[in-house]
């Protein structure tokens, strides 16, 4: 479990959205409150988010983006190749990090141990210290069908996580497809 951030991704027939809080902590100190931990990749067709250290994030985002380019944006093939490369690299596999990547059709959680997890519902994924809070809120809001747009569902879920998790703030950034 990372005491680092909260990233939440959601997709449905209306679109795909990822959001993350802005808090960066070092031990029990808040170093920064407005960090950006999400990105759009491959010509703004793929969304991604990261839980772990900032330096690791840049390395992993660059590596994943290179694989996406080689696979011409095929997310499924890219996550499999990325997972293999991450797991095999002696330096990278030691990182305590996780990523979420999604497009309009798929959503995956990736880890340095080689995990490629597609959520059971295929719609909602969360990582980071506040991930379970955000995931629970998103599932509850999703059950009410079309009451909220995807962007609003992610925003409200992250706000709830920020109320509960001391490592999550309410300085939320969101990207959508």
């Amino acid at each position: 479990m990372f005491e680092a951030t909260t990233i939440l991704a959601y997709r449905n027939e209306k679109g795909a959205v990822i959001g993350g809080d802005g808090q960066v902590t070092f031990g029990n100190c808040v170093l920064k409150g407005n960090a950006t931990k999400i990105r759009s990749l491959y010509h703004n067709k793929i969304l991604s988010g990261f839980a772990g250290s900032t330096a690791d994030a840049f390395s992993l985002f660059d590596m994943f983006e290179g694989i996406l380019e080689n696979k011409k944006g095929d997310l499924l093939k890219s996550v499999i190749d990325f997972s293999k490369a991450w797991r095999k690299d002696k330096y990278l596999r030691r990182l305590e990090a996780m990523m979420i990547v999604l497009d309009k059709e798929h959503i995956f959680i990736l880890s340095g141990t080689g995990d490629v997890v597609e959520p059971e519902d295929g719609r909602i994924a969360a990582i980071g210290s506040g991930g379970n809070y955000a995931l629970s809120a998103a599932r509850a809001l999703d059950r009410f069908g079309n009451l909220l747009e995807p962007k609003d569902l992610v925003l409200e879920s992250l706000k709830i996580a920020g109320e509960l998790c001391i490592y999550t703030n309410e300085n939320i950034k969101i990207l959508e497809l």
Side-chain angles (χ1 to χ4, degrees):
M1 176 86 83
F2 302 105
E3 296 175 343
T5 196
T6 302
I7 302 295
L8 175 67
Y10 176 76
R11 59 174 231 44
N12 68 9
E13 60 283 346
K14 293 182 180 180
V17 179
I18 195 164
D21 76 311
Q23 185 160 293
V24 176
T25 56
F26 186 76
N28 61 359
C29 295
V30 175
L31 294 179
K32 186 173 181 174
N34 64 347
T36 301
K37 304 168 194 172
I38 57 174
R39 284 178 130 169
S40 46
L41 306 171
Y42 195 73
H43 314 292
N44 297 318
K45 294 180 182 176
I46 308 287
L47 300 176
S48 62
F50 181 88
S53 81
T54 305
D56 298 343
F58 288 122
S59 297
L60 293 170
F61 278 140
D62 288 345
M63 182 178 160
F64 186 70
E65 199 158 26
I67 292 171
L68 266 173
E69 289 292 332
N70 287 338
K71 299 294 179 187
K72 297 183 172 82
D74 185 317
L75 186 58
L76 182 57
K77 289 179 181 178
S78 296
V79 297
I80 291 167
D81 283 0
F82 177 72
S83 178
K84 289 176 187 176
W86 189 357
R87 185 179 66 240
K88 288 178 183 177
D89 187 285
K90 289 180 183 182
Y91 169 73
L92 293 177
R93 72 175 174 224
R94 293 187 195 134
L95 301 180
E96 292 186 10
M98 296 183 83
M99 290 178 67
I100 293 178
V101 294
L102 73 151
D103 61 13
K104 291 182 179 181
E105 297 173 11
H106 300 284
I107 184 170
F108 298 102
I109 299 171
L110 310 173
S111 79
T113 57
D115 296 320
V116 175
V117 178
E118 188 167 21
E120 189 171 319
D121 63 6
R123 297 165 60 93
I124 309 169
I127 57 174
S129 57
N132 286 334
Y133 301 115
L135 179 63
S136 297
R139 284 183 178 168
L141 292 171
D142 184 55
R143 288 190 181 147
F144 290 100
N146 294 328
L147 295 178
L148 291 174
E149 292 297 317
K151 180 179 179 179
D152 296 326
L153 183 140
V154 168
L155 178 63
E156 292 305 318
S157 299
L158 286 168
K159 284 181 181 179
I160 290 168
E163 293 170 6
L164 300 170
C165 178
I166 63 170
Y167 296 104
T168 304
N169 70 14
E170 292 186 35
N171 187 348
I172 297 165
K173 293 186 174 49
I174 293 184
L175 296 172
E176 57 187 323
L177 296 178

